[in-house]
Amino acid sequence: MRTRLAVIAFFLAVPFLAPPLQAQDESSSSQTQAQQDKSVSSARASEESSSKDTRIDLTPPKDDQKNHPMSGVAISDAEESASDVQEFHPWDPHKAAKNVEVGDFYFKRKNYRAALDRYKEALIYKPNDAVANFRLAECSERVGNPGEAVTHYPEYLKIVPHGPFATEAQKALDRLKADAVPQNSAQSR
């Protein structure tokens, strides 16, 4: 029992007798770091540069006009197009999907005008949305605007010619075109 206590006491006393290794490592690493910082700062002081010294020469080569005779036209075209107004259209497929979802809600409740507005808004955020085009055409037809329906049914068929509503869209398009022919002949009389 005494030997065990002696061994335990020895191991407890050893860390107090020897200098800690971690402290030696920290002091030597801080000295090394300080030396490196001094060498870097002295190198920077001797090389003092200004931004004027590091500028890149962007002038064209001497024979550039001879080798590339039409390059001036491309530059002038680029400058002209930069002055034109360029419009950005919002692209947000998530908002488009949400508008289609709300439009479907209104469509099921037979509120075709509200559904029509939602489908139009969906096409603002995603112009080539097939479902929004098809539903917009259906709503336009139900509201009594067959002209708009005739423009959106072909849009749907152009996006997905063999889609899930392709047969319905083709039948509706044929029906609307057939209805338009007798109206035109009646108006001409």
Side-chain angles (χ1 to χ4, degrees), residues 58-76:
L58 297 176
T59 58
K62 294 177 186 174
D63 58 349
D64 186 52
Q65 186 62 29
K66 185 176 112 185
N67 292 338
H68 308 286
M70 299 302 287
S71 64
V73 174
I75 293 171
S76 65

Side-chain angles (χ1 to χ4, degrees), residues 34-109:
Q35 290 173 352
Q36 288 176 350
D37 289 343
K38 287 180 185 176
S39 65
V40 168
S41 64
S42 65
R44 286 186 182 157
S46 66
E47 293 180 8
E48 288 183 42
S49 71
S50 68
S51 60
K52 292 180 183 177
D53 295 338
T54 58
R55 286 188 183 165
I56 299 172
D57 182 24
L58 297 176
T59 58
K62 294 177 186 174
D63 58 349
D64 186 52
Q65 186 62 29
K66 185 176 112 185
N67 292 338
H68 308 286
M70 299 302 287
S71 64
V73 174
I75 293 171
S76 65
D77 286 347
E79 289 172 351
E80 286 176 14
S81 68
S83 66
D84 290 343
V85 175
Q86 296 178 357
E87 294 182 23
F88 290 100
H89 298 285
W91 170 257
D92 194 349
H94 299 293
K95 280 188 177 182
K98 187 63 178 178
N99 280 315
V100 168
E101 181 182 339
V102 174
D104 288 344
F105 172 80
Y106 287 132
F107 189 83
K108 287 176 186 174
R109 300 222 183 261

Side-chain angles (χ1 to χ4, degrees), residues 12 16 33 79 125 155 161 164 182:
L12 290 174
F16 297 110
Q33 183 66 29
E79 289 172 351
Y125 291 112
E155 285 294 317

Side-chain angles (χ1 to χ4, degrees), residues 140-160:
S140 298
E141 191 176 357
R142 301 247 171 123
V143 167
N145 189 355
E148 191 173 358
V150 169
T151 60
H152 287 286
Y153 279 128
E155 285 294 317
Y156 171 79
L157 291 171
K158 187 168 69 172
I159 296 167
V160 275

